[in-house]
Amino acid sequence: LEIRLGNLCNLGCIMCGALLSSTIAAEVAHNRDKFAQIDIHEIAMPSPWWKDPQHWHRALDLASQARYLHLSGGEPFMHPGIKQLLQVLHPECSLSASTNLTLLDDEIIGLLMDQEPNTRLVWSVEGIGAHDEYVRWPTRWADIEHTLSRLQGMQIQAHHVLQHTSVFALPALLDWTHQHRIPIGFGRVYDRSVDGSPMLTLNSVSPTDYDRFSAWLSTYQGSHRDAISGWARDYSFDRTAHDRFRRYVNTLDSIRGTDFAATFAVNWHE
């Protein structure tokens, strides 16, 4: 059983959209003119299904009977009913959740521990330190590390979305997850994420930045070499996507006070 708890999310990841993040929905609504200049527009959001008592009680009933349950969002631990839902789970339920790890308070951690050893958290992470803080804005890396220290013994799997910023973030991320013995899996960014264009894909990376990444990859002998090489070999530079990506992150920087070029030390002189 999977329960999707709507688009409530405290982060505005650059590869995400309003349908999966209430933070992005609010950001676009509050900055209509800036986003309109890059053809990103406010969208009508569906009414949250869980606000209907009948639907919510049905979800609780299903959850209480489940032996395998996956929670997703948005950020499932931002949902106002998440503690109630965790409290009704069967002791033998195998629970997994896709999460950014930023909202796990003591009570939630206790409820998750109650399901041990049947709890697995799938941690969405796009880099280490400033890299993750930029892509998964406004997360704080120090908070992530603190949460991980409180989850000792729980099954945690990192999940990384292969996208433009991965060419900068992967070397440090793979080293860090290896050192901390956290397994990591990969997905690929949707070709039409955010605005219907391929601006977030590998093909929007400049040739110079790709060559630097390729040089690192040629020396990487870790267990994820085949998965990453399979992604990297599909590279074909798309100038239009590249230019659109630059306009997109420049717009985000103007709103959020971030600095893509400084964070990732980009080479954009082509």
Side-chain angles (χ1 to χ4, degrees), residues 119-175:
T119 298
R120 181 172 66 95
L121 297 180
V122 182
W123 166 40
S124 300
V125 58
E126 308 311 330
I128 299 303
H131 288 169
D132 198 54
E133 290 178 345
Y134 187 95
V135 179
R136 303 190 66 81
W137 177 90
T139 194
R140 295 179 66 251
W141 185 250
D143 293 341
I144 297 293
E145 290 190 307
H146 177 65
T147 297
L148 287 170
S149 71
R150 298 163 64 209
L151 296 173
Q152 294 293 326
M154 187 174 294
Q155 297 181 62
I156 297 175
Q157 178 176 344
H159 183 269
H160 176 80
V161 176
L162 294 167
Q163 57 183 298
H164 184 121
T165 53
S166 299
V167 302
F168 310 109
L170 274 174
L173 175 60
L174 291 177
D175 183 59

Side-chain angles (χ1 to χ4, degrees), residues 190-209:
Y190 296 124
D191 286 349
R192 299 292 183 264
S193 290
V194 178
D195 69 341
S197 83
M199 68 171 178
L200 290 164
T201 67
L202 177 65
N203 291 340
S204 68
V205 173
S206 75
T208 299
D209 289 329

Side-chain angles (χ1 to χ4, degrees), residues 91 93 95 109-121 151-156:
C93 178
L95 172 67
I109 290 176
L111 290 167
L112 293 173
M113 291 295 186
D114 287 344
Q115 296 300 125
E116 277 287 272
N118 299 319
T119 298
R120 181 172 66 95
L121 297 180
L151 296 173
Q152 294 293 326
M154 187 174 294
Q155 297 181 62
I156 297 175

Side-chain angles (χ1 to χ4, degrees), residues 226-239:
D226 288 347
I228 297 169
S229 296
W231 170 68
R233 72 170 59 101
D234 293 335
Y235 175 72
S236 177
F237 181 53
D238 183 332
R239 166 63 70 178

